Amino acid sequence: MNNTTATPLSATIAVDELGYYGEFGGAYIPEMLYPNVETLRRQYLGLIKESGFQDEFRRLLRDYVGRPSPLYFAPRLSAHIGAQVYLKREDLNHTGAHKINNTIGQILLARRLAKTRIIAETGAGQHGVATATVCALMGLQCIVYMGAVDMERQAPNVARMKMLGAEVRPALSGSQTLKDATNEAIRDWINNPEDTHYIIGSVVGPHPYPDMVARFQSVISEEMKSQLQEQTDRHYPDAIVACVGGGSNAAGAYYHYLNDRRVRLIAVEAAGHGVDSGESAATSILGSRGIIHGSRTLLMQTPDGQIVEPYSISAGLDYPGIGPLHAHLISSGRAEAVSITDEEALKAGFFLAQTEGIIPALETAHALAALDRLSFSADDVVVVCLSGRGDKDLDTYIGGMKDC
Amino acid sequence: MNRITHLFQHKQSRILNIYFTAGHPHRDDTVEIIRALDQAGVDLIEVGIPYSDPLADGPTIQQSSQVALQNGMTLSLLFEQIAEARRFSDTPLILMGYFNQMMQYGEESFIKTCKEVGVDGLILPDLPLYEYERSYKPLFEQYDLGISFLLTPQTDEQRIRKIDELSRGFIYMVSDASITGAKQGISDKQLAYFERIAAMQLRNPRLIGFGISNSETFQTACQYANGAIIGSAFIQALGQRENTVAGATLNFVRQIRA
């Protein structure tokens, strides 16, 4: 049900005051959440635009996270693909993924809102680690909800969060993965409306989260502009390829090019065992319009509106929805969606390791696998957002090694 | 006339609204539970449409939803069950669900079918006020279907006025900052909130829900509002019963009203 609505190519892609990108977005939340979400909505833009906020944010990104992250021209990969492939190295950030760009921003916001208790959900554990990290940095209490199934398949990240002083609470409802961890975090916020800030890890959830998280992640494309200018004499690429679970690294990598139609935006989803296998997380193909986690977007559901349990080998892409920005980009035709199976992702992970000496996160491996599916000219500049490193996925890679 | 409107015209105090999840404990219990609640003399019956992701609900209702879905409960089956119950029951009946369920059924078809099978009002905790006002208000008026918006201790005065303006039938007062579920007693802070709202002279009657679980909390709620809503405690009673549905329901309602 990949419905397409015509959006004029000249239309500017931006969120409106109620949090909609076209027909997607908004804030579909129970009244118990309203005061907190409304406070954020009224204040987030003002707070993050303050020069004091920006100074502190920039300083921490530089000195603590290690930004700017390099833009690396990958020669052997480029030769194989037949295009000029650049990797935006978010895997080199402190904690090993792009997730920390957002948690730094949100923890500064939480402090300005005088919140003392931080909650988060996590799938692969990268966002949980990034949240536990900034809570340790600021001396704030941290509780991370994680699906019981994910706690098992991402055990090293559970240990990291605990070492950082966070409490990891298993989500035992539903499929016990990211969707259910998000439900539990939302319920926690309902029960603790006064002292708690909820750091959502992706461009999902009620407005203003999708826009706020996209703004914090937009440092990725901001840096790309100057790095591309320096390395290619042109500030824009021909294509940007990024994996999409909820879609935060993609949102960050696209952000400053959303309205630049010269740049192809490619969103790579997890096909799991195959789009038609019944075990997949390819939301833009298998999904339809509905509400998930407070946002009107595309999601995988039954005709009765029950949310379907997705499947992917990668815990970070194992999500039945997609951020409302991406729902808008894909259904308006601005972004192209590609879906990649578990097997293709594993192969691409091994290929990058052995051609460029970089072990990517399994999520990122989906984006790399998509390069084989797309056609480029030899001089096309293609940026892949290398969203995270693969240490956390070694067990899965090793289990899949016999096939690769 | 809408049965909820009719009810409040004739009774303004000690209103007892009992909630249960359709399809729990067994898929076909709905009609029997409605019959039992009817015979036990409750004032309002609230039927939860089981949902995979009930954000506003605590563990008891979550679990009952999960069981109901595993039992094969669906929305169209629920509509059939309600139509059947309407052959003998004239008690006002409300459906509680999430906005996505109404969306997938088709908003107007959903409202129309509700009216046809004898539903009197809806509670959709994640339907935003602005969206109701902009897109659905005329439909609710056309089909004379009630809608109850929630208010909480954190809701500010201007928004309470808006909720009062848009609600049709009664307002659902959430007793505490919380998800649903039976809790310990009612605090002084909650009483202050109940008094503050009571003094606002709202247009709609008010029912207090979340954490109302026994005779004592029901009595307290009735002092400050027109009545109360009990859900999780009833679901637990149904789940643990050694008796028939009718017997367990009668016992439960008798204890609450004691």
Side-chain angles (χ1 to χ4, degrees), chain B residues 4 23 27 39 44 69 71 104-105 116 127 140 187 200 221 233 254:
Chain B
I4 302 170
R27 197 191 71 170
Q39 285 170 354
L44 276 156
L69 292 173
N71 288 343
Q104 301 314 317
Y105 196 87
E116 280 167 6
L127 172 63
F140 278 75
S187 69
M200 285 185 73
R254 199 175 289 145

Side-chain angles (χ1 to χ4, degrees), chain B residues 216-231:
Chain B
E216 192 194 339
T217 44
F218 177 66
Q219 301 298 344
T220 310
C222 288
Q223 285 169 31
Y224 296 92
N226 305 78
I229 303 167
I230 300 179

